[in-house]
Structures are given as C-alpha cells and as structure tokens.
Amino acid sequence: MDFASHFQSQLDALKTEGNYRTFADIERKTGAFPRANRHGETVDEVTVWCSNDYLGMGQHADVIAAMVQTTQACGAGAGGTRNISGNTIQHRALEAELADLHGKDAALLFTSGYVSNWAALSTLGARIPGAVILSDEGNHASMIEGIRHSRADKVLWKHNDWRDLDRKLHSIGDRPKIVAFESVYSMDGDIAPIREIVEVCEAHGALSYIDEVHAVGMYGPRGGGVTEERGLAHRIDVIEGTLGKAFGCMGGYITGSTALVDFIRSFASGFIFTTAIPPSVAAAATASIRHLKVSATERAAQKANVALLRRKLDRAGIPHMANDSHIIPVMIGDPVKCRMISDILMEDWGIYVQPINYPTVPKGTERLRLTPGPHHTEADIEKLVSALHSLWSRCAISHAVA
C-alpha cells in the first residue's frame, strides 16, 4: 500500500469539505487575558473569544504564584506514575479539595478530563459483571470511547429525554445499570434535566455518572457545578470534572464514595500506567478551586457579559442558539463559510474564534462557539457584534437557528 498517498488523499478530502483543521499560533499574555499575541508573518494582538478558560483563572495571580512556588520547591514534573514515583502532598491536597467541592468522600486525579471519563467508564463497564451502560446520545467523545473500550453492552437514550431513559432502564430488567450523561453540553450549551434523570436512576437502582467539565467553577455558590446549584450532588454516584476549563489549569478527576474511587484507582489502566500531573499544576489547581469556592466575582461578571452579548446579537439580527448556559453558539450551517468567517475575523478584526465543524458537530450545524469571560469589556463585545454584522450579508448566512 502507498501509505503516503492514502494519507494525503484523506487530508485533501477534508480540505475540500471545509473540515480541515488548522492551528492558530497564539501566545497568551499574563495579566492581559483575553488579549493574546498571534504569531504569523507578523505578531499581532488578538482578542480571544473561544477559550475554555472561562473565568480567566489561568491568569489569576494566586494560581500563578502557587505554580511558580511549587515548581521552585519541587521541580518540573511528577517523576512518573503515583504508584511508582510517590503520592505527592500536592496531589493529596487537590483530591481533598475536589472531594469537598462536590460533597463526596473521595476524589481521583487524571491527566485530563478526557482520560478521566475514558478510564472511569471503561473500568466500571468492564469490571461490573453484566453491566449495561446507558449513554445520552449527545455525550462527549471521551465518554463514548470509555464505554466502547469497556465492551459492556451499551444503550443510547435520546438526548436529555429522561422519559426515554426511564423506558430503556425498565426494559433492561435486573442487570447492573450505569447511566452516563453531562450537565452542560459543550457545543449547544444546553443543560440536562438533572433532577428528573437522577430520580429515574434511583427508581431503577442505576449508578449515576455525570460529566460536569463545562460546569465546574461556573455554577453553584462554590463552583461545584450545576449539581451543586440544583442541590443534587449528594444524589449522584460519580461526578467527573476537569481542571482545564474554568479552573484554568490542566487535568481531570472523578469524585464519589471511598470504595468507588478506590475501585477506579486500583483497576483503571488510564490511571495506573500514566504519569501524574506535575505537583506545580496540582498546587495551581488547588489555589484556583479554593479561590472560586469563596469568590463569586468572576462568575457574576461572566454571566453579565453573556447576557450583554446575547442582547447585542439579538439587536444585530445574528442568530445564536438559546440555552441557559455560558456558551453562545452562533450558527453558520456551512463548513466553508464557517472557516471563512473565522479567518476574516482574525485577519481584519483581530478577533480569534475557531470554527466548529464536523465531526465535532453534525454536518449542517457548523458554528462559531463564543465564550464570553469576565475580562471581556463592553467595547470588546461591541466590536465582535459589529464584525459579525458586517460579515453576515457579505457571506450570505441564513438567519435560521438549527
């Protein structure tokens, strides 16, 4: 086989479809977020509108200080897996902070939110005899991969449809059941009917597993996510989250009962055989979580900017998907136009927002995914809306929202 030709033909097809992904070379600037330097033929300042550092905590002085001080004290890396190289005090402190955040007995760290979903779900499905995993059809790729790797039987239920979940749980009978779903879905920004889902799980004796990666830090009086905001955390068996979004660092985790967390720690290959996150990252994440447990300032400013941007988009006639979260999808519906608008915004307006195309979203629902943060100014918002308005008729975008 001519491997090189095969690779190139597949890449050429992506480009023809408008789904080829390119990187923007961005250099974040401490203290200036959401400003960043874009490196190309020249170095230009851009305003970032698509970061998952939702609250700018990656730039917070306390977080940076914790990382720097721990690096100076402990060095750059963890030295290997926690089983081999040791369980640092920074990892222990972070897991205690996370367990407290969600009102759980224990927590376990992973190198990313993707890995925590993959490792936890694959282990639960593989090591609970006869288990069936019921997965919301809108679940993230990490959950899908974990379920697939477990080789457990899988049942899909209609997105956010707790009645469909109830019917499918009933049809399974007495087999062990695991229900996997998310709180905030990252592309549409919709929020699950968590109370109804939990009640259905309880009625059928199913283990409930929720992904809160786009909600931790963002919702609830201490940033515990939508489950905290709605007073439901204590009724959910596993709460999974990330340190790489609102907490501004890196890593993923699960929280739950002592026995469940120890079970995952003892059997999950994605934990056992992976180098631990550096102590400096663990210390920085701990500082971020502690700050957001007591400070509502960042969340309040972020929510105000979300509301302001939505109002201005409405006045300008720019279609955006309605939801109750902090994510604002501006619908384009064409991969080539989505890429083109993104490029023009960057080149002509100094606005950085990546196009979201297939396979991240279904074909025909291509979009710009806007994530206003607390550090965007009203002038930033006005500039973004003006730029989109000027491009809308120029690019002949339909005003229908998918």
Side-chain angles (χ1 to χ4, degrees):
M1 182 177 184
D2 185 345
F3 290 106
S5 295
H6 175 75
F7 300 151
Q8 193 59 54
S9 67
Q10 295 293 305
L11 292 170
D12 290 342
L14 278 179
K15 293 174 182 178
T16 300
E17 297 164 1
N19 292 323
Y20 181 74
R21 301 176 187 219
T22 59
F23 291 144
D25 293 327
I26 296 295
E27 180 185 16
R28 287 157 59 100
K29 299 188 290 183
T30 300
F33 189 74
R35 307 285 182 268
N37 286 334
R38 179 218 178 188
H39 290 258
E41 293 182 2
T42 60
V43 178
D44 304 305
E45 185 179 84
V46 297
T47 301
V48 179
W49 278 98
C50 52
S51 176
N52 282 344
D53 186 356
Y54 292 132
L55 300 177
M57 291 302 295
Q59 306 280 303
H60 195 280
D62 292 348
V63 176
I64 294 171
M67 180 173 283
V68 170
Q69 290 165 11
T70 306
T71 301
Q72 290 173 335
C74 301
T81 70
R82 289 166 71 184
N83 288 312
I84 292 174
S85 297
N87 191 35
T88 73
I89 59 172
Q90 289 83 12
H91 292 98
R92 288 176 55 194
L94 176 52
E95 286 175 342
E97 205 69 47
L98 289 164
D100 174 78
L101 177 67
H102 295 293
K104 299 299 183 186
D105 297 330
L108 186 66
L109 289 170
F110 294 86
T111 51
S112 72
Y114 192 105
V115 174
S116 57
N117 268 333
W118 178 88
L121 285 168
S122 64
T123 303
L124 289 169
R127 299 197 68 91
I128 297 176
V132 181
I133 303 179
L134 295 96
S135 176
D136 184 291
E137 63 184 9
N139 277 343
H140 189 265
S142 58
M143 303 175 82
I144 295 168
E145 285 297 321
I147 295 167
R148 180 181 296 131
H149 185 75
S150 77
R151 299 186 179 179
D153 289 339
K154 179 181 77 171
V155 174
L156 290 178
W157 48 286
K158 295 177 183 177
H159 179 52
N160 282 344
D161 188 339
W162 58 269
R163 294 180 179 86
D164 186 52
L165 173 63
D166 184 44
R167 288 190 292 268
K168 287 176 175 172
L169 282 167
H170 180 76
S171 69
I172 291 169
D174 293 333
R175 294 176 63 183
K177 297 171 280 289
I178 302 165
V179 173
F181 64 109
E182 302 180 37
S183 58
V184 178
Y185 287 84
S186 63
M187 288 300 113
D188 289 352
D190 53 329
I191 298 177
I194 300 173
R195 182 177 299 278
E196 291 83 354
I197 292 171
V198 169
E199 289 174 352
V200 168
C201 289
E202 291 172 343
H204 292 276
L207 184 146
S208 51
Y209 182 110
I210 191 168
D211 174 320
E212 284 254 54
V213 297
H214 290 277
V216 290
M218 302 294 294
Y219 301 90
R222 302 196 310 156
V226 183
T227 51
E228 182 195 32
E229 183 180 65
R230 299 184 180 180
L232 296 167
H234 66 289
R235 297 173 64 181
I236 295 175
D237 296 301
V238 184
I239 298 177
E240 182 267 352
T242 186
L243 307 170
K245 294 183 170 59
F247 294 130
C249 295
M250 177 187 176
Y253 64 88
I254 61 163
T255 64
S257 69
T258 300
L260 185 147
V261 170
D262 198 23
F263 177 80
I264 301 299
R265 184 191 68 85
S266 299
F267 293 110
S269 61
F271 174 81
I272 295 169
F273 298 107
T274 302
T275 298
I277 62 173
S280 58
V281 174
T286 301
S288 181
I289 295 165
R290 286 175 179 168
H291 176 83
L292 290 174
K293 280 181 177 179
V294 298
S295 173
T297 303
E298 293 82 6
R299 287 188 286 272
Q302 194 270 346
K303 289 176 183 177
N305 276 345
V306 169
L308 178 60
L309 178 55
R310 284 192 180 276
R311 289 196 300 271
K312 288 183 177 291
L313 289 171
D314 285 337
R315 285 200 291 269
I318 306 298
H320 54 99
M321 189 176 290
N323 60 53
D324 294 324
S325 78
H326 57 283
I327 296 166
I328 304 178
V330 172
M331 308 307 293
I332 307 298
D334 179 277
V336 175
K337 290 177 180 177
C338 198
R339 174 82 263 175
M340 178 176 63
I341 290 174
S342 173
D343 290 343
I344 295 172
L345 287 171
M346 180 80 94
E347 296 296 334
D348 296 352
W349 295 82
I351 291 171
Y352 173 46
V353 53
Q354 275 283 25
I356 306 295
N357 290 348
Y358 178 84
T360 305
V361 295
K363 292 181 179 180
T365 68
E366 293 81 8
R367 67 199 65 184
L368 303 176
R369 178 182 177 274
L370 303 177
T371 54
H375 302 298
H376 287 103
T377 66
E378 186 168 354
D380 292 333
I381 293 172
E382 188 61 47
K383 180 180 179 181
L384 172 65
V385 174
S386 296
L388 288 171
H389 185 263
S390 72
L391 289 173
W392 220 248
S393 58
R394 175 178 165 187
C395 296
I397 306 299
S398 167
H399 280 63
V401 177

